[in-house]
């Protein structure tokens, strides 16, 4: 005997994870692919400040569980990076400064002002996120990856701790891998 049509209506187990992931992927695709052709500065501003207006917690619920080699996972990493730079611009500047002489190519790709002060880092990370709308998304990801690589190198030089250094290096590798997928039109 099979249950009636109303049987499942009575069960409240929470949101369907597959549906949530689909919604997260769809939102990321619309954000990256849909905003691309917009010349509207309000769209650029909304994309830049998405984590502030919607809340980083909301974005975490939406994208934090997404694989790093996805649009949603890439966006999550970009917004977390921006939040981190804004939360500790002086500390990030010190880490970037310590790494920039050891990671020359990545320093140039990251495009941070010289010397890398807190204001220059905030401007750089905002410029990276504006690139979601204005630039090729692969360039956005590779630029963010280069920045993370310089910071990871700086953390190692400052002996900030193996775990923190490894976490930043992992972020750099994830963003770089996503950038390469995007160049092959395989990032979804």
């Amino acid at each position: 005997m099979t249950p009636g049509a109303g049987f499942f209506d009575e069960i409240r187990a929470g949101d369907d994870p597959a549906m949530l992931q689909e919604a997260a992927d769809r939102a990321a695709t619309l954000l990256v692919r849909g905003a691309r052709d917009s010349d509207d500065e309000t769209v650029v501003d909304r994309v830049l400040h998405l984590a502030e207006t919607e809340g980083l917690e909301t974005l975490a619920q939406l994208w934090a569980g997404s694989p790093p080699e996805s649009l949603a996972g890439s966006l999550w990493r970009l917004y977390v990076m921006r939040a981190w730079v804004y939360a500790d611009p002086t500390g990030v500047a010190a880490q970037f400064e310590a790494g920039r002489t050891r990671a020359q190519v990545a320093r140039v790709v990251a495009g941070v002002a010289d010397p890398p002060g807190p204001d220059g880092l905030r401007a750089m990370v905002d410029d990276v996120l504006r690139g979601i709308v204005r630039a090729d998304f692969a360039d956005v990801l590779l630029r963010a990856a280069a920045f993370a690589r310089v910071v990871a190198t700086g953390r190692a030089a400052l002996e900030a701790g193996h775990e923190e250094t490894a976490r930043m290096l992992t972020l750099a590798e994830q963003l770089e891998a996503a950038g390469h997928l995007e160049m092959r039109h395989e990032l979804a």
Side-chain angles (χ1 to χ4, degrees):
M1 179 171 179
T2 60
F7 179 80
F8 292 105
D9 294 339
E10 298 301 318
I11 299 173
R12 303 256 185 249
D15 296 321
D16 180 355
M19 288 178 65
L20 289 175
Q21 188 61 53
E22 182 181 338
D25 292 342
R26 201 184 256 157
T29 300
L30 288 172
L31 187 65
V32 173
R33 309 290 186 229
R36 170 85 36 224
D37 298 326
S38 178
D39 290 332
D40 187 349
E41 283 301 312
T42 59
V43 171
V44 175
D45 193 54
R46 284 193 341 234
V47 168
L48 175 63
H49 296 286
L50 183 66
E52 294 157 17
T53 58
E54 299 302 320
L56 199 56
E57 297 80 19
T58 300
L59 295 183
Q61 289 176 341
L62 193 61
W63 295 330
S66 298
E69 65 279 353
S70 68
L71 284 171
S74 298
L75 285 172
W76 170 242
R77 284 153 181 78
L78 291 172
Y79 281 106
V80 167
M81 187 175 77
R82 182 179 188 268
W84 168 66
V85 168
Y86 268 77
D88 185 18
T90 304
V92 176
Q95 293 171 12
F96 189 89
E97 175 63 28
R100 73 187 185 112
T101 58
R102 293 169 179 83
Q104 290 289 328
V105 172
R107 176 186 64 84
V108 172
V109 173
V112 177
D114 196 13
D119 292 335
L121 287 175
R122 283 191 291 258
M124 181 280 310
V125 77
D126 283 353
D127 192 47
V128 167
L129 260 67
R130 282 185 188 97
I132 294 170
V133 177
R134 292 184 174 155
D136 181 79
F137 194 56
D139 291 342
V140 170
L141 295 169
L142 294 174
R143 187 173 174 198
F147 172 74
R149 189 168 302 282
V150 173
V151 170
T153 303
R155 283 181 173 183
L158 294 172
E159 298 177 8
H162 177 70
E163 190 174 309
E164 285 186 25
T165 301
R167 200 171 332 166
M168 188 57 63
L169 185 56
T170 298
L171 174 65
E173 291 168 349
Q174 290 171 339
L175 290 169
E176 187 174 334
H180 289 287
L181 285 171
E182 178 68 5
M183 285 190 291
R184 294 190 309 262
H185 307 286
E186 296 173 4
L187 189 65

